[in-house]
């Protein structure tokens, strides 16, 4: 993988581009894809944004989502765009399997492939150009850096600023996580000067759900959360029946894994949801517990040090049992 700056000369000519991101895009995935798309179109390129799957309502308000193509729904036209692309941008993921049913198509493409991402252990051999930096708060921060490095900061308009800010807010836990270094606040100050309405973004991300979602949250915290004080750990396990009962849609479970962290002493929180195709895990830690390694070791996953995800092919009960069996081996949780 060559440095991302080597790509700039290629961008002098109009190109056909596809921007894509991981399945079920969150605020950073969608925000970075849209922001880069808005910018590259301003530069005269022909750009399509493809999402491997559908996306949540809390990102659907972002400027440009109406033009995003859902690969699962519009596979034929999406495949055509991929075939015809000169350049493929892969944002906020670093290994093709994170795009689910798009995986094989992306692997087979022979066009120029560009990676912009901040997760651990990138599959750099699969990309022509790219930047992978786990120190970055978000992929949106990296898109901002990319635009600034191309000396195009003046092209950052309100739409681009909105999308970038949304991803930064999402991935820093509203400027709370340790990834919120000084440059993140400098970036926000710059976006504000360029007309960002930050309140609108917070409302779009966090005050944008239906009644059922809040009642579901109450139900889950009361009935589905187990505190394992011995390991300073909390586990939330959600059976499929709950998702049906509360009419839970994509994105409605986002943020649930953070609630147990408000309990004194809890350093590790895990959430497992019984989805049709798999049991999907989310892991969050405070301080010295490596969620990325834990997710990789036990649940076919990965991510960051303090936030990771994974999957189990087993039943919910078996997945929960596997989690509990892994805890005694996590010495840092009991020290
Ligand atoms: P979340 O719990 O919000 O789904 O994911 C937390 C972090 O872990 C995100 O940065 C996400 O991209 C990453 N992640 C989630 N699931 C997986 C997975 O199955 N594999 C890998 N490599 N990363 C994941
Ligand atoms: Mn991200």
């Amino acid at each position: 993988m060559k440095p991302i700056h080597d790509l700039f000369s290629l961008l002098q000519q109009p190109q056909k581009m596809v921007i894509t991101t991981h399945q079920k895009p969150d605020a950073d995935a969608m925000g970075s894809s849209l922001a880069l798309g808005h910018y590259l179109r301003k530069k005269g390129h022909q750009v399509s944004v493809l999402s491997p799957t559908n996306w949540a309502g809390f990102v659907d308000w972002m400027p440009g989502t109406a033009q995003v193509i859902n690969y699962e729904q519009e596979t034929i036209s999406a495949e055509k765009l991929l075939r015809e692309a000169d350049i493929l941008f892969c944002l906020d993921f670093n290994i093709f399997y994170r795009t689910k049913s798009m995986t094989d198509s992306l692997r087979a493409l022979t066009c120029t492939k560009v990676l912009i991402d901040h997760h651990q252990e990138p599959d750099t051999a699969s990309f022509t150009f790219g930047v992978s930096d786990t120190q970055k708060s978000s992929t949106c921060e990296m898109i901002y850096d990319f635009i600034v490095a191309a000396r195009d900061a003046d092209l950052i308009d309100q739409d681009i600023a909105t999308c970038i800010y949304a991803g930064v807010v999402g991935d820093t836990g509203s400027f709370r996580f340790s990834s919120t270094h000084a440059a993140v606040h400098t970036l926000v100050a710059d976006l504000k000067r360029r007309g960002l309405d930050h309140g609108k973004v917070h409302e779009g991300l966090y005050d944008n759900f239906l009644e059922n979602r809040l009642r579901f949250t109450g139900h889950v915290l009361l009935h589905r959360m187990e505190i394992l004080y011995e390991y300073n750990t909390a586990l939330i396990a959600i059976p499929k029946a709950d998702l049906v009962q509360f009419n839970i849609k994509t994105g409605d479970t986002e943020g649930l894994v953070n609630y147990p962290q408000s309990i004194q002493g809890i350093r590790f929180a895990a959430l497992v949801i019984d989805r049709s195709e798999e049991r999907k895990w989310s892991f969050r830690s405070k301080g010295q517990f490596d969620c990325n390694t834990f997710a990789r070791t036990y649940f076919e996953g990965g991510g960051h040090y303090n936030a990771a995800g994974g999957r189990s092919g087993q039943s919910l009960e078996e997945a929960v049992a596997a989690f509990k069996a892994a805890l005694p081996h996590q010495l840092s949780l009991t020290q």
Side-chain angles (χ1 to χ4, degrees):
M1 186 170 85
K2 287 182 261 183
I4 189 95
H5 292 182
D6 292 358
L7 176 71
F8 288 149
S9 58
L10 219 80
L11 301 183
Q12 299 307 313
Q13 304 299 324
Q15 309 274 0
K16 280 189 188 161
M17 301 170 167
V18 168
I19 299 172
T20 195
T21 186
H22 59 76
Q23 60 143 328
K24 306 275 178 193
D26 56 11
D28 190 35
M30 188 61 103
S32 58
S33 300
L34 292 171
L36 182 64
H38 291 313
Y39 162 67
L40 291 172
R41 274 186 214 109
K42 279 189 155 183
K43 295 288 284 182
H45 302 291
Q46 195 179 319
V47 188
S48 306
V49 178
L50 292 192
S51 169
T53 63
N54 66 342
W55 52 89
F58 69 82
V59 298
D60 200 40
W61 56 272
M62 288 185 194
T65 46
Q67 285 78 47
V68 177
I69 296 165
N70 174 350
Y71 179 88
E72 280 182 344
Q73 252 176 21
E74 298 174 62
T75 311
I76 292 171
S77 46
E79 282 288 350
K80 185 165 183 286
L81 288 167
L82 286 171
R83 269 197 314 277
E84 292 174 356
D86 302 311
I87 304 180
L88 171 77
F89 284 89
C90 295
L91 306 188
D92 202 39
F93 72 101
N94 60 26
I95 187 151
F96 289 140
Y97 81 79
R98 297 276 291 131
T99 65
K100 258 187 136 180
S101 47
M102 253 167 77
T103 304
D104 291 339
S105 301
L106 295 193
R107 271 203 198 113
L109 284 185
T110 53
C111 69
T112 300
K113 295 175 182 172
V114 182
L115 174 73
I116 304 179
D117 178 63
H118 66 135
H119 293 90
Q120 304 203 5
E121 301 185 39
D123 176 21
T124 48
S126 294
F127 299 95
T128 332
F129 301 97
V131 52
S132 165
D133 187 348
T134 56
Q135 300 298 308
K136 291 291 173 186
S137 65
S138 52
T139 303
C140 277
E141 182 190 351
M142 301 173 83
I143 297 301
Y144 175 85
D145 293 346
F146 181 84
I147 297 173
V148 171
R151 300 177 187 276
D152 281 329
D154 286 344
L155 293 183
I156 298 177
D157 55 20
Q158 205 158 2
D159 283 354
I160 295 176
T162 300
C163 294
I164 290 176
Y165 183 75
V168 171
V169 168
D171 265 27
T172 60
S174 304
F175 308 102
R176 177 178 173 176
F177 303 151
S178 57
S179 57
T180 315
H181 45 84
V184 173
H185 290 290
T186 309
L187 171 164
V188 173
D190 187 36
L191 298 183
K192 281 299 289 179
R193 274 186 226 106
R194 295 178 192 281
L196 169 73
D197 180 352
H198 69 274
K200 210 179 91 183
V201 174
H202 288 265
E203 263 181 47
L205 290 176
Y206 301 116
D207 303 340
N208 198 8
F209 299 99
L210 303 178
E211 178 188 340
N212 67 316
R213 197 253 191 177
L214 194 56
R215 298 204 183 276
F216 169 73
T217 303
H219 166 80
V220 162
L221 295 181
L222 193 58
H223 299 292
R224 306 295 182 221
M225 183 174 68
E226 192 175 350
I227 308 298
L228 305 151
Y229 283 105
E230 200 184 342
Y231 301 109
N232 300 302
T233 291
L235 169 65
I236 299 175
I238 303 179
K240 206 174 298 170
D242 286 359
L243 305 177
V244 176
Q245 183 191 343
F246 288 89
N247 193 23
I248 292 306
K249 300 270 190 292
T250 298
D252 283 345
T253 53
E254 180 84 12
L256 260 185
V257 67
N258 298 318
Y259 283 97
Q261 303 261 35
S262 66
I263 302 169
Q264 283 179 2
I266 294 301
R267 281 160 36 203
F268 182 37
L271 167 74
V272 58
I273 302 173
D274 195 357
R275 301 220 180 273
S276 316
E277 65 282 18
E278 61 188 13
R279 267 39 63 210
K280 182 70 190 151
W281 286 94
S282 285
F283 304 107
R284 298 291 185 275
S285 68
K286 277 187 193 160
Q288 300 303 306
F289 183 75
D290 184 356
C291 292
N292 172 52
T293 301
F294 185 85
R296 272 175 207 278
T297 308
Y298 298 102
F299 297 106
E300 300 170 40
H304 310 283
Y305 191 89
N306 292 123
R311 60 172 297 283
S312 304
Q314 310 153 298
S315 70
L316 185 65
E317 291 71 24
E318 288 166 336
V320 164
F323 176 80
K324 288 183 179 174
L327 285 180
H329 302 283
Q330 313 308 312
L331 293 182
S332 60
L333 287 176
T334 50
Q335 282 159 3

